[in-house]
Amino acid sequence: MTVLVVGSVAFDTIETPAERRELVLGGAANYFSLTAAFFTPVQLVAVVGQDFPQQHLTVMQDKGICLDGLQKADGKTFHWSGRYGDNFNERDTLATDLNVFADFKPTLPEAYRQTPYVFLANIQPQLQLDVLDQMKDPQFVAADTMNLWIDTALDSLRKVASRVDALLLNEGEARQLSGEYNLLKAGRAVLSMGPKVVVVKLGEYGALIFSGTDLRFVPAFPLDQVTDPTGAGDTFGGGFVGHIAKHQDLSASTLHKAAAVGSVMGAFCCEDFGPERLLTVTEQEIEQRFQALCQLGAFDTKTLF
Ligand code: AMP
């Protein structure tokens, strides 16, 4: 089943302890699309400037991503810059140059309005609500967010939470949004705001999946070397929603497996700068890493005493 994604397509400047890269292709919707496209058809709604390379659009189209909803506006593409220290779970944002993103009004092509699966990537919550208002009875809507919107647009974000099926957020955001430090309390408190599913992403440690009274955990796939974790959260989202859309099932076990797919894809994303690794990874490598992740947490369930 097709997934519609709305969010940022960007140029990122990334500094890690090892290297600095300028104008790497980025944006939440970019990472999400390139990942979800492994599992299901994707429709992208975003805005880029006149400086955006045709070459990358061709790469996306070759992956089967529909770009009918991609606007090309006068001006420069959104630019974000971040710096990581040795702890890749934390980063400093150095610059957010909105450029054409400042006036972004997501207008869905008529043919997108009945798309059954929707991912509202990290954008202003009011824009996420505007997208929902244009949709006709989607089967499953997931949304991502960030601390900026908890600080500056809490009322709209709460409305988003009350209208989506799944909310994905990292541990700091879950704590901030809920006012609870304990992650179980935080996850359940976010669940009580409306979504049926809450995914709390734990960076290099994995993710907790809350649905109803069910709680699951997936580890992150351990890597010898992380090159650049930018976009790993959105890549997780692409694997998670892509798997759900492919199987059209919201049982706790499918959600758990979907989070494992997200975890596997997020790890690939971290292996190179920007989305580079997502462009080279094969289905066979994804399958192998998924099997390896399953083995990581598997022990026999015979009683102990
Ligand atoms: P992640 O590492 O999963 O949090 O995603 C990083 C991506 O989010 C980068 O490629 C940025 O271009 C994009 N990004 C950063 N800040 C924003 C923002 N305020 N709105 C939309 N996208 C953003």
Side-chain angles (χ1 to χ4, degrees):
M1 282 282 187
T2 304
V3 179
L4 167 76
V5 53
V6 184
S8 58
V9 172
F11 289 130
D12 293 343
T13 298
I14 300 161
E15 287 180 41
T16 70
E19 214 177 323
R20 180 174 193 276
R21 291 272 184 106
E22 282 188 16
L23 304 183
V24 172
L25 212 47
N30 182 41
Y31 285 101
F32 179 94
S33 309
L34 290 172
T35 307
F38 279 98
F39 307 97
T40 195
V42 178
Q43 298 164 334
L44 172 67
V45 174
V47 64
V48 294
Q50 298 297 330
D51 52 354
F52 199 77
Q54 177 58 40
Q55 182 197 345
H56 187 65
L57 299 181
T58 307
V59 169
M60 294 180 112
Q61 279 164 328
D62 289 348
K63 289 238 160 213
I65 299 166
C66 177
L67 301 181
D68 292 353
L70 184 75
Q71 304 166 23
K72 204 160 192 180
D74 284 336
K76 288 167 80 175
T77 300
F78 174 50
H79 172 246
W80 173 85
S81 172
R83 179 194 290 142
Y84 299 90
D86 289 325
N87 177 359
F88 276 113
N89 267 2
E90 288 172 14
R91 73 176 170 217
D92 296 322
T93 292
L94 303 179
T96 303
D97 307 318
L98 291 175
N99 300 329
V100 293
F101 203 44
D103 299 318
F104 179 45
K105 298 266 176 296
T107 307
L108 308 190
E110 199 52 45
Y112 284 13
R113 294 177 188 223
Q114 303 196 12
T115 300
Y117 288 80
V118 182
F119 186 71
L120 305 169
N122 165 32
I123 45 170
Q124 229 181 13
Q126 186 53 54
L127 296 185
Q128 294 178 319
L129 293 170
D130 292 347
V131 171
L132 285 182
D133 288 341
Q134 295 173 58
M135 298 299 303
K136 293 189 184 118
D137 295 327
Q139 279 177 41
F140 177 82
V141 181
D144 198 355
T145 192
M146 71 186 293
N147 54 355
L148 175 66
W149 311 126
I150 303 173
D151 288 336
T152 63
L154 187 57
D155 285 349
S156 308
L157 180 57
R158 281 180 169 275
K159 279 187 200 145
V160 171
S162 72
R163 289 181 61 183
V164 298
D165 299 284
L167 191 63
L168 283 64
L169 61 188
N170 68 31
E171 63 177 296
E173 293 155 2
R175 287 183 168 128
Q176 193 184 346
L177 182 60
S178 64
E180 296 281 0
Y181 188 82
N182 177 291
L183 282 178
L184 293 191
K185 288 185 180 161
R188 288 180 193 134
V190 178
L191 210 49
S192 74
M193 293 174 191
K196 296 186 200 75
V197 183
V198 171
V199 178
V200 179
K201 295 174 283 181
L202 308 172
E204 67 180 299
Y205 303 112
L208 290 166
I209 305 96
F210 299 80
S211 61
T213 55
D214 191 88
L215 172 67
R216 308 279 172 124
F217 171 71
V218 288
F221 185 82
L223 294 173
D224 287 330
Q225 194 188 328
V226 171
T227 299
D228 168 24
T230 306
D234 310 305
T235 302
F236 177 99
F240 181 72
V241 177
H243 181 82
I244 292 170
K246 183 177 166 96
H247 294 280
Q248 300 175 57
D249 177 38
L250 291 179
S251 65
S253 66
T254 299
L255 293 171
H256 194 199
K257 190 167 175 184
V261 175
S263 190
V264 162
M265 298 308 294
F268 281 118
C269 175
C270 293
E271 287 184 335
D272 205 342
F273 274 92
E276 284 297 312
R277 187 68 179 103
L278 299 175
L279 301 179
T280 59
V281 68
T282 63
E283 280 187 9
Q284 194 188 5
E285 287 174 309
I286 294 169
E287 183 68 49
Q288 278 169 356
R289 189 166 285 187
F290 172 72
Q291 298 302 335
L293 185 81
C294 294
Q295 285 308 311
L296 263 181
F299 35 84
D300 79 63
T301 53
K302 274 188 235 135
T303 53
L304 295 180
F305 301 105

